Amino acid sequence: MGKPKKDQILRTKFLERLCHWSIVVCFFFAATSGISWFFPTFSWMSSFLGTPQMARVLHPFFGIAVFLGLCYMFKRFMHHNLPARTDKIWFQNVVPVLAGDHSRKLRIGKYNAGQKVLFWLIMASIVVLLISGLIMWRAYFAEYFPIWVLRLAILAHSVAGIGLILLIMGHIYLAIWVRGSITGMVTGYVSKRWAAQHHDRWAEEIESGKADH
Ligand code: HEM
């Protein structure tokens, strides 16, 4: 989106952003239709996809689209989310960090330890959702499995689905709370000040040309 200003640095590339926001749309439809069957109070949510019947047909396809999008994000972001020795410093300072105190140098790379935990939980949930979802997909596969496998798949799908929705609610809350991060995911750019405040080690590595984006 336009040329970056002098004090800005690239945080997220165009294809990564496109993938992220496409996942958001597909996740919205998959999650709301799923919730509509799980909690009767939310049955009205299946109308986001037209009719309840349409929601029933489309839900698995939106789910698969989320899985494919996350495969791309996994490939692009996995190396930034591997555990680092410096993650310990973030965990030890989680209270001041949450209180908005950025005075300490926490040696945070491209993503902080909390984001890394979230990244791996999202990836684990989508794998469980995909496998259990395929097993219980009535139109194509469910008939090949015994009833106890279907029951287990339905249980796993429900737990992972609600778990992922809760994780994403936390993710959205934190994205709004850390001002500037949504702009980074929309335009691709963050200010050098933002980077130094929230991801100090990454900012230094970018400045010295040691890190890729
Ligand atoms: C309205 C909904 C959402 C908002 C506002 C949002 C916002 C963001 C922002 C701002 C970032 C960049 C954080 C940074 O640069 O430090 C990000 C990263 C990310 N988001 Fe979202 N997001 C949303 C929904 C989702 C959904 C539904 C998923 C997956 C199911 C998802 C998965 C991810 C992943 C995997 C990353 C990369 C984080 C990492 O590598 O550690 N997001 N999101």
Side-chain angles (χ1 to χ4, degrees):
M1 243 188 229
K3 270 194 163 174
K5 288 189 210 130
K6 233 175 55 202
D7 69 335
Q8 288 187 316
I9 46 180
L10 179 65
R11 180 147 177 89
T12 316
K13 290 180 179 163
F14 175 74
L15 277 183
E16 296 161 350
R17 283 178 277 140
L18 183 69
C19 179
H20 178 269
W21 294 114
S22 308
I23 290 176
V24 170
V25 173
C26 295
F27 184 79
F28 173 81
F29 287 118
T32 48
S33 51
I35 290 176
S36 79
W37 302 314
F38 202 81
F39 302 105
T41 351
F42 291 119
S43 59
W44 52 273
M45 282 191 177
S46 65
S47 59
F48 292 154
L49 283 171
T51 61
Q53 291 78 3
M54 200 53 142
R56 185 73 195 80
V57 171
L58 293 180
H59 171 90
F61 293 101
F62 280 112
I64 289 174
V66 171
F67 172 78
L68 294 176
L70 283 175
C71 285
Y72 180 74
M73 296 201 63
F74 185 80
K75 188 172 164 283
R76 298 291 313 154
F77 292 128
M78 195 265 280
H79 66 291
H80 291 302
N81 287 280
L82 292 173
R85 225 174 287 164
T86 46
D87 289 338
K88 205 171 63 190
I89 311 174
W90 187 89
F91 282 121
Q92 284 163 348
N93 287 277
V94 73
V95 176
V97 168
L98 289 179
D101 170 6
H102 300 288
S103 56
R104 280 166 247 206
K105 285 246 172 200
L106 300 182
R107 313 304 302 143
I108 301 170
K110 180 149 189 191
Y111 298 109
N112 67 40
Q115 288 176 302
K116 290 182 184 183
V117 170
L118 188 88
F119 176 88
W120 290 103
L121 287 175
I122 290 175
M123 297 303 165
S125 312
I126 199 69
V127 170
V128 174
L129 282 165
L130 181 83
I131 296 171
S132 55
L134 288 177
I135 293 175
M136 63 198 267
W137 199 350
R138 294 240 173 254
Y140 301 108
F141 308 114
E143 61 180 301
Y144 298 111
F145 296 94
I147 187 70
W148 66 269
V149 175
L150 282 181
R151 283 182 185 146
L152 262 184
I154 293 168
L155 179 65
H157 203 75
S158 313
V159 172
I162 291 176
L164 185 56
I165 290 168
L166 292 175
L167 288 174
I168 295 303
M169 284 165 75
H171 175 66
I172 297 171
Y173 177 77
L174 290 170
I176 295 169
W177 188 71
V178 179
R179 278 181 59 197
S181 71
I182 294 186
T183 312
M185 202 30 125
V186 173
T187 65
Y189 290 92
V190 290
S191 69
K192 287 185 178 165
R193 192 165 166 267
W194 183 95
Q197 198 169 64
H198 298 287
H199 301 272
D200 52 343
R201 185 161 54 83
W202 176 71
E204 283 167 21
E205 284 169 2
I206 289 284
E207 284 289 286
S208 64
K210 267 196 248 157
D212 66 354
H213 293 280

